[in-house]
Amino acid sequence: MPSSSFVKTACPHDCPSACALEVERLSSTKIGRVRGSAENSYTSGVCCTKVSRYAERVHHPARLAQPMRRVGPKGSGEFAPISWDDALDEIADKFTRATQSHGSEAVWPYHSGGNMGVIQRWGLDRLRHAFRYSRQQTTICVTPAESGWKAGVGELRGCDPREMAEADLILMWGGNPVSTQVNAMTHIARARKRGAKLIVVDVYRTPTIAAADIAVIVRPGTDAALALGMMHVLLKERFADEAYLARLTDFDGDVRRHIESWPPERAAQVTGVDVAQIVDIARLYGQTKRSFLRLGFGFTRSRNGAASMHAVSCLPAITGSWQHKGGGAFFLALENWRLDTTLAHGLDMRDPHTRILDQSRIGAILTGDPVALKGGPLVAAMIMQNANSANVAPDSRKVAQGLGREDLFLCVHEQFMTPTARYADIVLPAAMFLEADDIYYGLGHTYITAGPRVLDRHQESWTNHEVVCGIARRLGSDHPSFRMSAFELIDKTLTASGRGTAAEAFSTGWVECAEPFDDAHFTNRFPTADGRFHFKPDWTGIGPNGHGMRALPDFMENYEVADDEHPFRLVAPPARTFLNTTFTEIESSRKREGAPHVIIHPDDAARQGVTDAEIVQIGNRRGRLELPAKIDQSGRPGVVIVEGIWPNADFSGGLGVNQLIGDDPVPPNGGSAFHDTAVWMRRPSQQAVIENG
Ligand SMILES: Nc1nc2c(c(=O)[nH]1)N[C@H]1C(S)=C(S)[C@@H](COP(=O)(O)OP(=O)(O)OC[C@H]3O[C@@H](n4cnc5c(=O)[nH]c(N)nc54)[C@H](O)[C@@H]3O)O[C@H]1N2
Ligand SMILES: Nc1nc2c(c(=O)[nH]1)N[C@H]1C(S)=C(S)[C@@H](COP(=O)(O)OP(=O)(O)OC[C@H]3O[C@@H](n4cnc5c(=O)[nH]c(N)nc54)[C@H](O)[C@@H]3O)O[C@H]1N2
Ligand code: SF4
Ligand SMILES: [Mo]
C-alpha cells in the first residue's frame, strides 16, 4: 500500500508506457521520490530511472520562470523579462497582423509530444480551429509505422500487451523497450519465467538485444526481406494455417508465388542474417501457437518503413497466431479509446478547408518550399508547445534557417531554454505535468491514465491549457472551452465518452479500456472494409504517395543506399536516460550517457584507421558533425550508430545528428526516416588533406 505522503498521478512523456505513478509530495512546492504504481496491472510497480528522479527536473535551477521577450538578434538567446499581460498582448497582436496581411493560414500553432496529455497537448488545436489557423499533420513519430500497420490490420490497435506474459515466444521487432518502454519488459519477464523465449530483431546490440534468447542483427531497412524469408519457410514447412488464411485474409496465389520468390538464401543476402538463423526463427515462430509479435517503431523509421511494417505484420496472419491467448500482435493502441474530444479539441470549430502542414517538414515549410506550403501563404507567426523542433526534426540546418527568419514571429512555450526556445521572439514558461491536470492514452497498454496535479505551479509558469485560453480570449473567442479549467474539460470529455467522471478517474488513477478478446484478436473480422487482413494493401488509399508501392508484402529498395561517396549507413536511435530531448538538461542523465559519440564496427575502424575515442567526422550533402568514435562490434560492418538526440549545443558546429537526416516524406503518408541515412566518415586529419589538396 502506498504510504500517505505518496499521491497518484501519471507520466505525461512520449513513451508508450504512460505509467501510473505515485509521487511523494513533501509540500505544495516540493516532491521527493517517484515510483510506478503497483496497483496498476500494466505499470506493475515499475517506472524508468529518469522519471524516478523527477525531483531533479521539476526543481531544476534552469527551469524557465517568467515570460521573456527577445532583445538580441534571432537565435542569440538574449531575452528580457516581461509580464504575462504584455506577452499575451503581443502574441494576439502578431497573430492578428499575420491574419490581416496574409490570411489566417499564415499562423501555425505547432505541438509535439513533450507532453502527451489529452488537454495539455491537443488543446492547442482549439486555438487553431477557433481562428482557422493552419492545421498540423502529426507525422514525426508514428506515421510510417501506422501506415504499414493499417495497410494490413486496418486499425491501430491489437492484442492486450499484458498477454505477453502468457506467450511462449515473444518476437520483439525493431524496438528497444529496455530503454524506451521498460514496462514491456515486466510482462516479457513473466513469460520467460514460464520458459518462454525472447527473439529480438535490431540493427545493433541494444540492452534489449542483450536480454534476448535469440538476437537477430539485420542491416538497416531490410526487415521486410527477413519477414519474407521467414514467411517462405512457414509456407514451405506447412506452418501456415491455411484455413485461417482462407477465412480471415485476402491471401491468394499471387501472394503465395511472391513469398515463394523469397527463399531464406535471398533474405540472407539482403539482411546479412545467416540462412540457418532465418530458418530457425521461422520454425520456432511457426511451431509456437502462443507467439506474440511485438513491433517497435525503430524499423519503420526508414523510407521503406511502412512497407516493412506491413511485411512484418503479415507473420501472425500466416500462422494464425492471432487466434490464441498470448499470440497475435501489438504495435500501438491509438484507435481504441473512443474519447469524444469535440469540446476539448475544438472539433466543432474545425474548418475542413484550412490547409494541413506536415509537422516533420517544418524546415521546408518555414523556408518557403511551395510544395510543403501546399500552395498557401508563407508561415508568418507560430506558437509552439511541447516541441523542440530545432533539435528533433529532420534536416536541422533547414529548420534552423526557418526558425531564424527575421520575418517570422515565434512564441515558444517551454520548461527550459531549448535550442528551439532560443529562436523565439517570446518565450513563455511552462508548468510541468506535476503542476497540471490531465489524462493520457496508454499507447502501449489498455488504460487511460489519470494525472491530477500534485504541486503548485513553478514561479510564473502557466500550463499549456492556460496559455491556449489566454490567447483565445484576447483574440475574442467565446467558445466555452476557453473558460473551463482543464479538470472541467477532462470531466466533460470522459462523461461524453461513457468513461466515467474526472473525479472517478483521478481517484482510481486510471480508466481501464481493454477490449474483449475477440475484438482485440480480430477473431471474427479485422477492422478493414471487407473484414480481412490484407496481404495486398491499397497503399493509395492510405496516403498520397502510395503509387510506387506494390500491393504485396514487399521489400522496397527506396532507402538511402550506401555508395562509394557515402559508404556507411547511419542509425540515430534514442538514448536510455533521455526522452527525445527531454532530460538532456538533467545531470544524472547526462552523466549516464557520457557525451555524443558514434559507434563504429571494428572492421570499419580498421579500414579507416580510426582508433577508439578518436574524433571523427561523419557527414553527407546535408551537413557534417564531429564526435568521438566508440569502436564496438555492435552492428553490422558498414553501419554507424549515434544514440540520443543530444542538444545542438553539445556539438562543435552548433547542430546535432539531425542535420544529416533527410526530410523527404516517407511513402505513402509521410513521416521521418530517422534511421535511414547514408554518410561518409573521415578522420579530421584526412579532411584537412582533402580540403587543402
Ligand atoms: N535523431 C533522431 N531524431 C528523432 C527521433 C529519433 O529516434 N532520432 N525520434 C523522433 C520522435 S519518435 C519524436 S516523437 C520526436 C520528439 O520530438 P519532441 O516532441 O519535440 O521532443 P521532446 O523532447 O519529447 O519534447 C519537446 C519539448 O517539450 C517540452 N515540454 C514537456 N512538457 C511540456 C509541457 O507540459 N508544456 C510545454 N509547453 N512544453 C513541454 C520539453 O521541455 C521538451 O523540450 O523526435 C523525433 N526525432
Ligand atoms: N529512454 C527513452 N525512451 C523513449 C524515447 C527516448 O528518446 N528515450 N523516445 C520515445 C518515443 S518518442 C518513441 S516513439 C519510442 C520509440 O521506441 P522504439 O519502438 O524502441 O523505437 P526507436 O526508438 O525508434 O528504435 C528502436 C530500435 O530500432 C532499431 N532500428 C533502427 N533501424 C532499424 C531497422 O532498420 N531494423 C530493425 N529491425 N531495427 C532498427 C534501433 O536500433 C533501436 O534500437 O520510445 C519512447 N521512449
Ligand atoms: S517515461 Fe515511460 S517508462 Fe518512464 S515513467 Fe514515463 S511512461 Fe513510464
Ligand atoms: Mo516518438
Side-chain angles (χ1 to χ4, degrees):
M1 286 295 287
S3 73
S4 58
S5 62
F6 278 87
V7 293
K8 287 177 181 172
T9 189
C11 179
H13 289 295
D14 197 353
C15 164
S17 281
C19 286
L21 299 178
E22 290 166 2
V23 177
E24 189 181 21
R25 186 176 183 274
L26 301 175
S27 74
S28 67
T29 55
K30 195 152 182 62
I31 64 158
R33 289 165 292 171
V34 177
R35 64 192 186 200
S37 161
E39 288 167 59
N40 181 282
S41 67
Y42 186 78
T43 306
S44 244
V46 175
C47 82
C48 62
T49 319
K50 56 195 180 298
V51 167
S52 73
R53 299 188 188 126
Y54 218 83
E56 276 186 76
R57 185 162 196 272
V58 71
H59 304 310
H60 199 286
R63 262 193 82 173
L64 298 176
Q66 57 196 144
M68 294 186 290
R69 179 189 281 131
R70 175 169 69 87
V71 291
K74 277 255 176 184
S76 63
E78 291 166 44
F79 296 95
I82 52 171
S83 70
W84 269 102
D85 270 340
D86 287 353
L88 293 174
D89 282 345
E90 184 159 339
I91 297 162
D93 178 58
K94 287 294 184 343
F95 283 11
T96 304
R97 279 169 197 260
T99 302
Q100 283 165 352
S101 307
H102 312 284
S104 63
E105 289 177 337
V107 182
W108 192 27
Y110 186 106
H111 57 74
S112 189
N115 178 324
M116 291 290 281
V118 170
I119 307 300
Q120 310 290 353
R121 176 172 185 182
W122 287 278
L124 184 59
D125 290 342
R126 295 204 312 280
L127 181 67
R128 85 170 86 239
H129 296 323
F131 298 97
R132 301 185 64 261
Y133 296 150
S134 282
R135 285 184 280 163
Q136 161 178 319
Q137 187 195 1
T138 303
T139 54
I140 205 156
C141 181
V142 73
T143 303
E146 175 180 10
S147 304
W149 177 267
K150 283 185 163 177
V153 173
E155 276 184 13
L156 210 48
R157 55 194 184 85
C159 304
D160 187 330
R162 287 170 297 193
E163 276 183 37
M164 287 192 293
E166 295 171 65
D168 296 322
L169 174 68
I170 292 137
L171 175 53
M172 168 65 59
W173 202 302
N176 177 16
V178 170
S179 296
T180 61
Q181 44 170 321
V182 66
N183 305 77
M185 296 310 288
T186 304
H187 302 277
I188 292 172
R190 287 178 183 158
R192 297 178 83 193
K193 248 195 204 142
R194 301 179 13 258
K197 292 260 179 301
L198 173 65
I199 304 177
V200 181
V201 184
D202 206 296
V203 296
Y204 78 114
R205 293 196 69 80
T206 64
T208 312
I209 281 273
D213 298 292
I214 302 175
V216 184
I217 304 283
V218 296
R219 295 195 181 106
T222 64
D223 299 86
L226 179 60
L228 282 159
M230 288 175 68
M231 286 193 265
H232 180 100
V233 177
L234 292 170
L235 285 182
K236 190 171 153 198
E237 301 194 4
R238 305 205 171 278
F239 290 117
D241 183 337
E242 300 282 350
Y244 185 84
L245 285 173
R247 183 171 68 87
L248 270 179
T249 79
D250 65 354
F251 188 87
D252 65 6
D254 292 343
V255 182
R256 189 182 299 275
R257 275 186 294 282
H258 174 64
I259 293 174
E260 280 168 359
S261 76
W262 274 96
E265 293 73 19
R266 184 176 173 197
Q269 224 164 32
V270 174
T271 59
V273 180
D274 292 344
V275 174
Q277 188 174 45
I278 297 175
V279 173
D280 282 353
I281 58 173
R283 284 183 184 152
L284 192 55
Y285 188 77
Q287 279 158 7
T288 315
K289 281 196 169 18
R290 295 166 180 261
S291 38
F292 198 106
L293 173 62
R294 182 65 194 249
L295 300 119
F297 294 74
F299 77 106
T300 72
R301 302 200 195 287
S302 284
R303 287 169 181 76
N304 61 4
S308 296
M309 171 56 98
H310 172 252
V312 177
S313 76
C314 290
L315 287 165
I318 293 267
T319 62
S321 80
W322 282 108
Q323 300 162 104
H324 309 290
K325 190 129 201 237
F330 180 83
F331 163 57
L332 204 70
L334 251 181
E335 285 177 285
N336 48 314
W337 306 107
R338 302 196 176 89
L339 283 193
D340 180 349
T341 58
T342 309
L343 181 69
H345 299 165
L347 304 180
D348 51 333
M349 299 181 279
R350 181 171 55 180
D351 175 350
H353 304 294
T354 47
R355 75 172 163 185
I356 304 178
L357 299 176
D358 181 346
Q359 172 197 41
S360 298
R361 307 213 64 213
I362 180 170
I365 288 164
L366 294 185
T367 52
D369 178 326
V371 176
L373 285 167
K374 305 266 181 82
L378 199 62
V379 172
M382 288 184 83
I383 174 167
M384 301 180 85
Q385 289 186 322
N386 310 333
N388 188 9
S389 307
N391 228 148
V392 306
D395 206 344
S396 36
R397 189 173 306 274
K398 217 190 281 174
V399 179
Q401 265 169 29
L403 290 172
R405 257 175 48 206
E406 281 299 333
D407 60 339
L408 171 73
F409 170 76
L410 177 65
C411 167
V412 177
H413 186 201
E414 248 303 346
Q415 295 161 342
F416 288 92
M417 186 51 76
T418 60
T420 309
R422 289 177 74 88
Y423 284 106
D425 298 285
I426 298 280
V427 177
L428 303 175
M432 286 190 185
F433 78 102
L434 292 167
E435 302 153 355
D437 289 328
D438 219 330
I439 50 173
Y440 308 93
Y441 300 121
L443 303 179
H445 53 81
T446 59
Y447 294 103
I448 292 172
T449 46
R453 87 190 109 162
V454 173
L455 297 178
D456 295 341
R457 290 171 316 181
H458 172 69
Q459 298 202 23
E460 287 187 43
S461 65
W462 282 21
T463 67
N464 292 1
H465 174 69
E466 289 167 321
V467 167
V468 166
C469 295
I471 298 172
R473 290 213 298 262
R474 269 201 172 45
L475 287 166
S477 173
D478 56 8
H479 194 265
S481 65
F482 297 125
R483 303 206 172 268
M484 291 178 170
S485 67
F487 184 85
E488 284 173 288
L489 277 182
I490 294 164
D491 192 51
K492 296 267 184 214
T493 303
L494 289 174
T495 49
S497 319
R499 297 281 192 200
T501 65
E504 285 161 4
F506 280 15
S507 124
T508 316
W510 50 82
V511 184
E512 169 64 278
C513 303
E515 298 182 300
F517 178 90
D518 283 341
D519 293 342
H521 284 253
F522 313 119
T523 45
N524 300 312
R525 69 183 322 271
F526 278 88
T528 53
D530 60 2
R532 290 166 181 271
F533 177 88
H534 291 176
F535 283 93
K536 302 168 76 171
D538 169 19
W539 291 109
T540 55
I542 293 173
N545 301 320
H547 34 268
M549 301 179 74
R550 289 211 289 171
L552 284 169
D554 197 21
F555 168 59
M556 285 178 70
E557 290 183 85
N558 62 332
Y559 54 88
E560 215 165 87
V561 182
D563 57 20
D564 288 349
E565 234 178 291
H566 309 92
F568 299 96
R569 297 260 300 144
L570 165 70
V571 175
R576 185 158 176 180
T577 55
F578 298 155
L579 205 149
N580 303 317
T581 56
T582 310
F583 300 95
T584 54
E585 312 83 8
I586 306 305
E587 274 315 307
S588 60
S589 288
R590 293 184 68 90
K591 207 167 144 201
R592 195 256 171 208
E593 299 302 330
H597 58 270
V598 53
I599 302 174
I600 304 173
H601 191 278
D603 295 354
D604 295 327
R607 206 168 306 121
Q608 303 280 121
V610 172
T611 51
D612 200 48
E614 183 183 352
I615 302 290
V616 295
Q617 285 184 343
I618 57 172
N620 57 22
R621 68 192 150 81
R622 301 181 194 103
R624 68 172 65 171
L625 76 165
E626 273 185 13
L627 64 192
K630 182 175 170 192
I631 299 174
D632 188 5
Q633 191 157 359
S634 187
R636 298 207 165 264
V639 177
V640 294
I641 293 125
V642 178
E643 273 185 0
I645 321 181
W646 286 86
N648 289 343
D650 281 296
F651 296 87
S652 55
L655 286 176
V657 69
N658 284 17
Q659 67 178 297
L660 304 178
I661 293 166
D663 75 340
D664 43 313
V666 170
N669 199 30
S672 297
F674 289 110
H675 305 327
D676 178 2
T677 310
V679 293
W680 48 252
M681 180 182 16
R682 294 173 191 144
R683 302 164 72 205
S685 52
Q686 256 174 321
Q687 179 57 23
V689 172
I690 291 166
E691 277 173 3
N692 299 333

